[in-house]
Amino acid sequence: MHRLIACIAFAVFISVPSLAQSPSAPALPYSPSIDITSVDKTVDPCADFYTYSCGGWQKNNPIPPDETSWSVYAKLYQDNLAFLRGILEEAATKTQRNQVTQEIGDFYGACMNETAVNQRGLTAIQPQLEEIAALKSVRDIAPMTAEVTLPFGRTLLFEAGSTQDPDNSEQVIADLDQGGLGLPDRDYYTKEDAKSKEIRERYVQHVRKVFELLGDEQEVAKNNADTVMRIETALAKASWTQVERRNPYNLKNKLKMGELDQLVPNFDWATFYRTARYPQLGMVNVESPKFYKQLNESLLKEPIDDWKTYFRFHVVDSYSPFLSQPFVDENFSFYRAYLRGAKEQQPRWRRCVQYTDYNLSEALGQAYVSKVFSPQLKADALEMVNRIEEAMRERIEQLDWMSPETKKQALVKLEGIRNKIGYPDRWRDYSSIKLLPDDFAGNIERAGAFEVQRQINKIGRPVDHGEWQISAATVDAYYNPQMNDINFPAGVMQPPLYDPKMDDAPNYGDTGGTIGHELTHGFDDEGSQFDAKGNLKDWWTKLDREKFETRTKCVEDQYSSYVSVADVHLNGKLTLGENVADLGGEILAYMAWQSKTNGMNLQPIEGLTPEQRFFIGFAQWDCANERPDDLRVRAATDPHSPAKYRINGVVVNMPEFGKAFGCKSGQPMVRPSDQMCKVW
Ligand SMILES: [Zn+2]
């Protein structure tokens, strides 16, 4: 269930075809944290604080043609990629290399060898295609899916792996989740509005194009595409929605192996688990029983030839970014251009850096942090974390709506949170992956298999609390409810987000708010259902939980009233956890900043008071330009609200903001105090 982790940003790796998003040119040296050129002084901060703080940035930073959106985070990530490129090009060409530089150099070099990639063409995945072609009956599907590992460590048809036991977080058990779809979410298959219908038609065209690239005649390709769509639609209808997935009890269904066989008798689980080299299993957690019930019916109903068609498409579609040009182009044209609005493909080097960062993250991470992350930076970050946690402690103690009983439990949970900063204490060893300098797709496949096996190997072993879910160079941060830890990689602790040369006001508004955001995730609609040890356990009194839900409902209703794009409203339930974390995080950051600077005689800088600089620092963490197509995908799949609402939606609930800018009642950024939402 590691997918429960809650991030500050929507950092989805570029090559995951369905959700491709990524950040272009090194822009060093950085501007200071408060970027005055980003402020649009023609806008009244009390009318639209986001546009006041970011209007200049928006004008100066149009979305690059190869990007689906653009933001301060995306730009910083792109600078990181340019920096990593330097490390990788040296590693790819140097003759004197250590184990790490050899691994990352060969992986990156193979990716950059476009001539070899194009020459190999489809032969790179010939073995997988042959296994599919050899299927004789539905019973053969189990061993095939166990053997054909997809890139990104995914299984075909569904998602199999391991998870921390929701009832005992120190134990790792086998896990099965829904999957098998080509579009970004199950709702794409079920919604009846005109745009959704158009997207489905365009997707079927994409599937058809992939079959044509495989050599199918037009008519055959068309029928095949319809088959894929039919199978996927049945699975989609039985899948949990994004909102249903926010309830962790929906995802907890621990079954004995016999019960799994009863749920899905048409799939040979014993052979699947043996072939995939799982240890002996006592139980498995099935996150989506409805999906597996449908899978069983589909296995009965669909003839083996149609399954072969389905698998053939999914193997090729998943591998397309790593195959020859026609496959790369078709993949780009549907997933990034049509679905998300990108105008151009990213340069190859940038894709290759991201593939390396994703597949060999802790090898590349070692080379990265040794150059960018100082012990002083780590100490500074830790100090800020401690101050924010202290503010949270005070805040819990002061809450007027919570009973002492629940407060005591909340404080136990707060005490139990682990703070992880910069990078892992121990680096993962990739030496068992065979990496060849001239076999890119093969490297991807073997790295994917390594990751699948690594997840399986966790079953029955003690949980590694030092493990990280994102790479050190990632510009993001997360909270993991089952680990009860907050994680800030080196990539996010950099200017213009955190700048040691700047004063506290913007640093607390920006990075302090990020830390508070992750901390608050431990207490949002989802995180609050896990205890200090990371177990799914109710530590609330009934009455306090009701009061909590009345308060979160205020936030839900507020964000549901916002329009994301055209006629699409935000889903207040989907974005609830992030919105609660945004609001709570900024309140904590403000408290921590006030207590640190208490008694200091802070003076205005560039005509802005310290309080104004705090809030501008906050707003400028998320200056962004967003494409309508991308906003549409995100409204359906992204738990984060669009940038404008992540800023304005917070300040309208903070009386400190209106006071800092001298706003008057009746102005858009001023809510009457009895309508303000406040959870934590
Ligand atoms: Zn978050």
Side-chain angles (χ1 to χ4, degrees):
M1 257 202 263
H2 64 261
R3 55 190 69 82
L4 279 171
I5 70 169
C7 302
I8 181 90
F10 193 45
V12 173
F13 179 62
I14 173 187
S15 70
V16 173
S18 56
L19 289 174
Q21 187 201 20
S22 83
S24 101
L28 300 163
Y30 295 103
S31 55
S33 285
I34 277 272
D35 183 357
I36 218 71
T37 62
S38 290
V39 173
D40 183 348
K41 292 202 166 147
T42 67
V43 176
D44 179 354
C46 302
D48 178 353
F49 184 57
Y50 173 72
T51 308
Y52 166 81
S53 302
C54 291
W57 189 96
Q58 290 181 303
K59 283 194 198 83
N60 297 330
N61 293 279
I63 306 174
D66 56 354
E67 296 298 334
T68 58
S69 66
W70 201 228
S71 64
V72 170
Y73 265 43
K75 206 171 161 180
L76 178 54
Y77 182 55
Q78 194 156 111
D79 291 347
N80 286 355
L81 294 177
F83 184 79
L84 294 175
R85 178 193 194 183
I87 294 173
L88 288 168
E89 293 199 335
E90 195 185 308
T93 50
K94 241 183 15 190
T95 43
Q96 289 287 336
R97 306 190 292 183
N98 59 30
Q99 190 199 314
V100 163
T101 49
Q102 184 173 341
E103 285 164 3
I104 59 178
D106 285 351
F107 190 94
Y108 178 76
C111 179
M112 286 301 289
N113 190 347
E114 217 171 346
T115 313
V117 169
N118 282 325
Q119 275 169 0
R120 278 207 84 187
L122 208 54
T123 58
I125 55 166
Q126 207 53 44
Q128 288 91 328
L129 293 174
E130 280 169 12
E131 277 206 52
I132 292 164
L135 292 172
K136 297 261 182 300
S137 78
V138 168
R139 291 304 279 181
D140 300 337
I141 290 175
M144 187 280 292
T145 51
E147 275 165 21
V148 177
T149 306
L150 291 180
F152 335 111
R154 262 180 23 218
T155 319
L156 271 169
L157 194 54
F158 51 81
E159 307 234 5
S162 62
T163 186
Q164 283 168 269
D165 185 337
D167 301 312
N168 175 7
S169 64
E170 291 304 320
Q171 179 172 318
V172 179
I173 57 174
D175 186 69
L176 288 171
D177 199 0
Q178 63 195 35
L181 309 181
L183 283 165
D185 185 68
R186 53 91 67 202
D187 283 358
Y188 281 80
Y189 297 84
T190 58
K191 280 162 68 176
E192 282 303 322
D193 60 288
K195 184 69 185 173
S196 298
K197 286 181 182 165
E198 178 205 300
I199 294 172
R200 285 200 287 276
E201 272 169 37
R202 185 61 186 76
Y203 175 61
V204 173
Q205 281 172 32
H206 161 66
V207 180
R208 182 176 162 180
K209 186 75 195 298
V210 169
F211 282 115
E212 288 176 10
L213 289 173
L214 286 170
D216 291 0
E217 298 287 342
Q218 279 192 4
E219 198 55 30
V220 176
K222 185 179 172 298
N223 289 336
N224 284 347
D226 291 341
T227 297
V228 170
M229 194 59 178
R230 184 183 72 239
I231 293 178
E232 287 187 18
T233 303
L235 296 176
K237 284 181 175 161
S239 298
W240 289 127
T241 65
Q242 297 278 344
V243 169
E244 287 166 339
R245 294 183 67 84
R246 290 198 67 77
N247 178 354
Y249 288 94
N250 283 346
L251 309 181
K252 185 185 109 165
N253 305 283
K254 294 195 286 187
L255 302 186
K256 296 197 179 74
M257 303 317 287
E259 292 171 326
L260 177 62
D261 286 330
Q262 275 170 21
L263 180 67
V264 200
N266 295 320
F267 191 85
D268 184 353
W269 292 104
T271 303
F272 172 81
Y273 280 120
R274 195 174 56 247
T275 313
R277 297 194 294 277
Y278 277 69
Q280 199 67 39
L281 298 177
M283 65 169 152
V284 55
N285 184 53
V286 179
E287 300 201 20
S288 182
K290 256 190 328 178
F291 170 88
Y292 281 91
K293 208 161 168 259
Q294 177 59 47
L295 176 60
N296 189 60
E297 281 173 34
S298 295
L299 285 167
L300 186 68
K301 200 175 115 210
E302 300 286 351
I304 188 63
D305 282 345
D306 289 353
W307 282 113
K308 288 184 183 180
T309 300
Y310 168 87
F311 289 128
R312 198 162 148 246
F313 165 73
H314 274 283
V315 162
V316 177
D317 202 45
S318 296
Y319 274 93
S320 284
F322 320 116
L323 299 177
S324 49
Q325 204 60 46
F327 293 95
V328 172
D329 289 346
E330 176 54 30
N331 195 268
F332 166 78
S333 103
F334 180 70
Y335 289 110
R336 274 179 75 80
Y338 172 72
L339 268 187
R340 312 197 77 130
K343 308 288 175 218
E344 283 174 17
Q345 175 68 281
Q346 292 189 332
R348 187 156 186 101
W349 71 262
R350 207 181 296 136
R351 284 177 273 147
C352 290
V353 174
Q354 290 174 80
Y355 299 147
T356 315
D357 189 38
Y358 183 81
N359 286 282
L360 301 176
S361 59
E362 294 196 10
L364 185 55
Q366 286 181 57
Y368 171 75
V369 299
S370 66
K371 299 193 179 185
V372 302
F373 201 64
S374 67
Q376 184 57 46
L377 201 55
K378 186 162 178 163
D380 289 354
L382 204 64
E383 195 221 304
M384 206 188 261
V385 169
N386 288 335
R387 286 185 182 277
I388 304 282
E389 289 179 343
E390 185 50 41
M392 184 72 174
R393 191 166 300 122
E394 275 178 44
R395 187 96 194 128
I396 291 170
E397 281 164 359
Q398 292 165 3
L399 287 178
D400 55 8
W401 57 269
M402 190 183 272
S403 71
E405 211 179 329
T406 306
K407 279 185 184 178
K408 203 173 145 206
Q409 295 305 316
L411 290 169
V412 170
K413 172 145 188 178
L414 178 63
E415 281 300 317
I417 290 177
R418 282 185 173 81
N419 304 320
K420 285 154 68 184
I421 293 165
Y423 52 91
D425 293 334
R426 276 179 296 109
W427 296 101
R428 194 169 299 151
D429 177 5
Y430 298 101
S431 57
S432 64
I433 309 176
K434 194 169 139 201
L435 296 170
L436 302 174
D438 56 356
D439 181 16
F440 177 47
N443 292 341
I444 287 279
E445 185 197 334
R446 289 182 292 270
F450 171 87
E451 178 58 18
V452 166
Q453 197 60 51
R454 194 178 72 81
Q455 297 296 344
I456 292 169
N457 290 347
K458 292 178 181 177
I459 297 169
R461 295 189 191 172
V463 170
D464 174 9
H465 288 280
E467 186 180 355
W468 285 67
Q469 308 283 352
I470 55 178
S471 81
T474 305
V475 185
D476 206 340
Y478 70 89
Y479 170 75
N480 182 341
Q482 290 186 287
M483 290 282 200
N484 198 25
D485 61 8
I486 51 176
N487 302 261
F488 305 94
V492 81
M493 294 297 305
Q494 292 184 72
L497 304 171
Y498 177 77
D499 189 342
K501 296 192 298 296
M502 290 296 293
D503 57 307
D504 287 324
N507 276 331
Y508 271 79
D510 187 321
T511 300
T514 304
I515 295 167
H517 173 104
E518 298 311 336
L519 197 58
T520 307
H521 270 314
F523 303 88
D524 69 14
D525 58 322
E526 192 175 80
S528 63
Q529 302 188 61
F530 293 83
D531 71 6
K533 292 195 168 77
N535 293 323
L536 192 49
K537 200 169 162 190
D538 189 1
W539 45 269
W540 295 71
T541 66
K542 196 166 166 288
L543 186 61
D544 284 335
R545 191 70 199 180
E546 280 167 19
K547 289 183 185 165
F548 173 77
E549 281 166 9
T550 306
R551 286 172 176 267
T552 55
K553 183 79 172 64
C554 175
V555 177
E556 183 192 319
D557 292 345
Q558 179 193 346
Y559 283 81
S560 288
S561 74
Y562 294 146
V563 170
S564 171
V565 58
D567 57 337
V568 182
H569 274 254
L570 283 189
N571 182 336
K573 283 193 165 74
L574 171 63
T575 57
L576 180 56
E578 295 301 332
N579 299 329
V580 165
D582 281 343
L583 176 58
E586 219 44 40
I587 291 172
L588 295 178
Y590 194 84
M591 281 176 69
W593 172 63
Q594 293 255 294
S595 90
K596 185 180 178 188
T597 55
N598 186 23
M600 292 183 191
N601 184 20
L602 299 177
Q603 295 299 314
I605 302 175
E606 293 174 305
L608 296 164
T609 68
E611 288 78 12
Q612 291 172 339
R613 290 167 56 75
F614 173 91
F615 282 107
I616 296 173
F618 161 55
Q620 290 188 349
W621 89 262
D622 204 15
C623 293
N625 280 309
E626 290 155 318
R627 296 189 196 275
D629 291 325
D630 195 55
L631 283 170
R632 198 176 279 277
V633 175
R634 286 177 41 197
T637 58
D638 189 353
H640 305 91
S641 302
K644 180 180 178 176
Y645 302 124
R646 294 193 72 174
I647 306 308
N648 288 349
V650 166
V651 298
V652 296
N653 288 322
M654 288 180 73
E656 298 87 346
F657 168 79
K659 208 171 143 215
F661 285 89
C663 301
K664 300 191 175 51
S665 67
Q667 290 191 281
M669 295 293 102
V670 182
R671 285 186 139 190
S673 56
D674 61 339
Q675 284 174 33
M676 280 190 188
C677 302
K678 198 143 286 182
V679 184
W680 293 98

